[in-house]
Amino acid sequence: MGHRLRVSVFLSFACLFLAPQSFAQLLPIVNPGFERVSRPLAVGEVTNGAGGVGVPVGTIPDPFGLPQFVDTVSVAGWRTFLPSPPSSNPIYAGVLRPYNNLQGQPLLVGYSGNHVASLRNVWMQQTLTARIQARTRYRLSFLAASGLWEPRSGIYVALLAAPDRETLAFAGTPGVATLVFSSILPAPGTEGQMMPYELEYVSPANLPRDLRNMFLAIAFIGSDGIPQMNFDDFRLEASPMQPRDDIRRPLR
């Protein structure tokens, strides 16, 4: 399906002496493919933000429309900033059912299901139930692409450590630690084609105080300006690590 890019970060020298054990645990992500919405979206319709299960948000019926709040939608798992009270201004981040242009060309190909997350310069995030563990390799994989007729833009995704599950955890949020942050420019010619990407983070053998008892969180933003970026199929694996010396020590 294309090349896979990876961003790797090792926070301590000790991590260089670790090796993965033979198994990886898949950490639960709510609604990883953005299919869990409270009602089907029409082709071209996008939610005006996201607030998790039970939090209704408006929708924008087409790329040139304004938010409407008559037939609202809730998006499981994912959250964006939501003004209170609801505003008639677009939030520029939500769940989209991709569409074709007037020439019949699809905005995107290669995504699963009916929906993707579609964002401009607004964050979307989810804080998981899993807490960060010491001496563990975390591998976050996902699909991403700009639309076929959108300007090529960077892919900005972060794996974070959040103090609780209520805080909107974005890169730079006070009290939230950034474990790894991607800034990847897709290859030319991949516009409109969802491509696979990975981020990797290895936690130190001894967690620093600011990471202890923290929850893992995923956050992403569409661009640093006008271009739109689309995401799908998030997956986070955790692999316990052990010292290489323990692996190489002969059995007695």
Side-chain angles (χ1 to χ4, degrees), residues 152-249:
R152 189 164 60 106
S153 182
I155 297 170
Y156 306 102
V157 177
L159 187 62
L160 309 170
D164 53 63
R165 300 193 63 224
E166 289 72 40
T167 298
L168 277 174
F170 307 133
T173 300
V176 173
T178 299
L179 304 177
V180 58
F181 181 83
S182 78
S183 179
I184 304 168
L185 186 63
T190 58
E191 295 85 354
Q193 172 67 56
M194 298 293 276
M195 303 291 291
Y197 298 91
E198 284 185 354
L199 281 73
E200 189 173 291
Y201 164 77
V202 177
S203 62
N206 295 304
L207 287 179
R209 182 172 300 176
D210 63 344
L211 294 185
R212 295 173 189 169
N213 299 314
M214 299 279 272
F215 292 90
L216 290 162
I218 300 165
F220 50 100
I221 191 169
S223 71
D224 54 2
I226 294 175
Q228 179 174 316
M229 187 60 65
N230 306 281
F231 298 88
D232 198 15
D233 291 347
F234 280 89
R235 177 185 175 95
L236 181 59
E237 290 183 348
S239 301
M241 311 288 281
Q242 61 185 17
R244 291 189 183 278
D245 287 346
D246 290 352
I247 296 176
R248 294 173 179 174
R249 185 180 300 119

Side-chain angles (χ1 to χ4, degrees), residues 129-178:
T129 57
R131 298 178 190 263
I132 185 170
Q133 302 296 317
R135 194 177 285 174
T136 302
R137 181 180 66 191
Y138 295 97
R139 180 173 293 167
L140 179 66
S141 60
F142 56 94
L143 301 176
S146 58
L148 180 62
W149 48 86
E150 290 277 346
R152 189 164 60 106
S153 182
I155 297 170
Y156 306 102
V157 177
L159 187 62
L160 309 170
D164 53 63
R165 300 193 63 224
E166 289 72 40
T167 298
L168 277 174
F170 307 133
T173 300
V176 173
T178 299

Side-chain angles (χ1 to χ4, degrees), residues 82-154:
L82 294 176
S84 182
S87 169
S88 59
N89 295 323
I91 292 177
Y92 298 116
V95 174
L96 167 72
R97 185 164 184 174
Y99 56 97
N100 296 349
N101 64 13
L102 294 177
Q103 289 72 44
Q105 298 171 304
L107 175 74
L108 295 166
V109 297
Y111 58 93
S112 63
N114 294 318
H115 306 118
V116 298
S118 188
L119 309 91
R120 295 194 188 275
N121 59 340
V122 176
W123 286 96
M124 182 179 286
Q125 71 92 226
Q126 180 175 157
T127 302
L128 311 185
T129 57
R131 298 178 190 263
I132 185 170
Q133 302 296 317
R135 194 177 285 174
T136 302
R137 181 180 66 191
Y138 295 97
R139 180 173 293 167
L140 179 66
S141 60
F142 56 94
L143 301 176
S146 58
L148 180 62
W149 48 86
E150 290 277 346
R152 189 164 60 106
S153 182

